[in-house]
Amino acid sequence: MKIKLSIITLMTLLLSSCVIQNSNASGDLNSKNSTIGSNIPKTIKLTYSGSASNKEFNNSLFEKFKKERKNAGDKNTYIIDYYECDPNLVASKIENWSSGPDIYEFTTGSFKELYKLGALSKLTDANATFINENYSDYGKKLATYNGEYYAYPYAGDSTYYIHYNKSFFNENDVKSIETMLDLALTHGKKIGFPLDDSFYGGAIMFTFGANCNVSFDETGSVISTTADFNTEKGIKAAKAIQKIGNHPAWKNAGLYPYIDAADDNDIVAYISGHWYSSFYKNRFDEKYACAAMPTITIDGDTKHLSAFLDGLAFGINPKSLDSDNDRLVAAYELAKFLSNEESQLARFEDQSLAPCNIDAITNNKISSNPNAQAIISQYEFAITQNNIPTSFLTNVSTLLNSIVHDEINSDQGLVEALNSFNDSIINGN
């Protein structure tokens, strides 16, 4: 997630040794132990951890939340304290989860660390129903860790797609990577795609259905790791990487673009991160366009090239909330409000973050934005990194480099490389 935000360091205290993965309280407004929605007024205080740059925006949503609660007949008073903390760093910067925050922003790539810290409350009952009813299938994937819901996602935006020059390609051309490469070659141009990078190239290994997964016990220790990249599905994916990497119009570029890079002047399309979109808009000017990841055909089988696509979510901290059901319920209700359709659309308008709410993604504000539409178009075939073993990301670079740099020159060599890669995933965690 490419976000530049300021951070304040929270009070340094000893981290509690008690790891709590699941809350015993339901977080349901109808809980008999909760005063929320009753006629007994109470002051409910929550601590919220969020980005410094979006503090004003978030505070405006808090006020809307309070107004909504009041209109619903809730007589409680809500006080929401704001801690400034980068969602990328929340797992490492908050040193005592027992003292807060109660609700916090985090990048979904941080699931493993937060789960091990016991800082994620499992969403069950009405809270799980909210996820099922309000999120796209991809949003549900973002909410899932170790087979259960543990978060309220509010954006799916950390991904890459095609940025291209319309002087060389039309909308149909960019649907196929083979067509793009052949057209670029005809014009003496290149397609930039950082194939040997684990984030950009690694996801291709999932294109034809090969997969891997890791499961954990309640302490965050690994129970088992599975992978099947040494099957026909993995072989097709590896051949896809070979096919792109062996094409004379392919160029290993797009990872760190610079507007004055002379050696990039021949590139007329990039498969690169959405955070670079302004760079490509400047480079291609009025000829700029974008599209979802293209297809590739291997042995008669045509699939979209997979891409990693992660996002931002709200976590509920059971360590600071389990002893007070009113605060726990309020935290759940606030998370639901902050991740509902209205809030996700407001966040898109304010921060250009693509939503994952099932209604928000079909809103005209989203469908009329080419970059947001490219991201959302990938929801059906993109891969979340929530449950991918760390060993995949640490070992896939070796495989990619071997394929891209022609170190594998036979079918048997490819099979052996995939067997080794698959073993390294299973035995690496």
Side-chain angles (χ1 to χ4, degrees), residues 43-231:
T43 297
I44 298 177
K45 186 174 181 179
L46 294 173
T47 56
Y48 179 97
S49 172
S51 62
S53 62
N54 297 327
K55 182 176 181 178
E56 183 178 350
F57 171 80
N58 286 328
N59 279 327
S60 71
L61 291 185
F62 299 161
E63 292 307 310
K64 290 181 180 179
F65 168 75
K66 295 174 186 178
K67 184 176 181 180
E68 182 181 88
R69 297 304 318 142
K70 183 177 180 180
N71 291 340
D74 188 343
K75 298 183 182 300
N76 290 313
T77 298
Y78 293 90
I79 298 174
I80 304 173
D81 290 336
Y82 200 100
Y83 286 157
E84 297 177 2
C85 189
D86 187 329
N88 278 302
L89 303 173
V90 67
S92 60
K93 292 298 181 182
I94 294 177
E95 298 182 11
N96 190 325
W97 286 93
S98 295
S99 62
D102 305 308
I103 174 174
Y104 57 94
E105 303 171 2
F106 73 98
T107 54
T108 53
S110 304
F111 256 119
K112 181 177 181 179
E113 293 84 355
L114 291 166
Y115 183 90
K116 196 163 187 176
L117 287 166
L120 291 165
S121 185
K122 185 189 295 185
L123 307 186
T124 59
D125 303 326
N127 301 301
T129 299
F130 178 87
I131 300 294
N132 289 328
E133 293 180 349
N134 290 278
Y135 286 87
S136 64
D137 288 343
Y138 188 78
K140 293 173 187 175
K141 292 179 184 177
L142 280 181
T144 302
Y145 190 73
N146 205 31
E148 305 281 355
Y149 291 148
Y150 279 98
Y152 294 91
Y154 60 89
D157 71 323
S158 183
T159 191
Y160 40 93
Y161 46 88
I162 306 171
H163 308 266
Y164 67 97
N165 188 325
K166 290 189 291 185
S167 297
F168 299 90
F169 312 98
N170 62 37
E171 292 181 356
N172 286 324
D173 296 334
V174 297
K175 292 179 180 179
S176 162
I177 189 65
E178 291 99 333
T179 300
M180 291 185 71
L181 288 164
D182 289 345
L183 279 172
L185 183 63
T186 298
H187 293 285
K189 300 297 183 180
K190 300 285 187 177
I191 305 295
F193 190 176
L195 278 180
D196 60 0
D197 180 78
S198 60
F199 182 62
Y200 290 88
I204 297 177
M205 291 305 300
F206 297 84
T207 297
F208 291 91
N211 208 341
C212 57
N213 188 63
V214 60
S215 59
F216 303 91
D217 63 19
E218 291 187 352
T219 69
S221 298
V222 174
I223 297 175
S224 64
T225 303
T226 60
D228 63 353
F229 294 103
N230 59 344
T231 63

Side-chain angles (χ1 to χ4, degrees), residues 287-330:
K287 295 298 184 180
Y288 172 83
C290 59
M293 291 291 283
T295 64
I296 194 165
T297 301
I298 300 296
D299 298 335
D301 194 0
T302 301
K303 300 288 185 183
H304 279 280
L305 288 171
S306 291
F308 287 126
L309 200 167
D310 295 290
L312 290 156
F314 299 112
I316 305 297
N317 177 15
K319 288 191 169 184
S320 65
L321 289 167
D322 267 357
S323 60
D324 190 332
N325 198 53
D326 285 335
R327 294 177 61 245
L328 177 66
V329 170

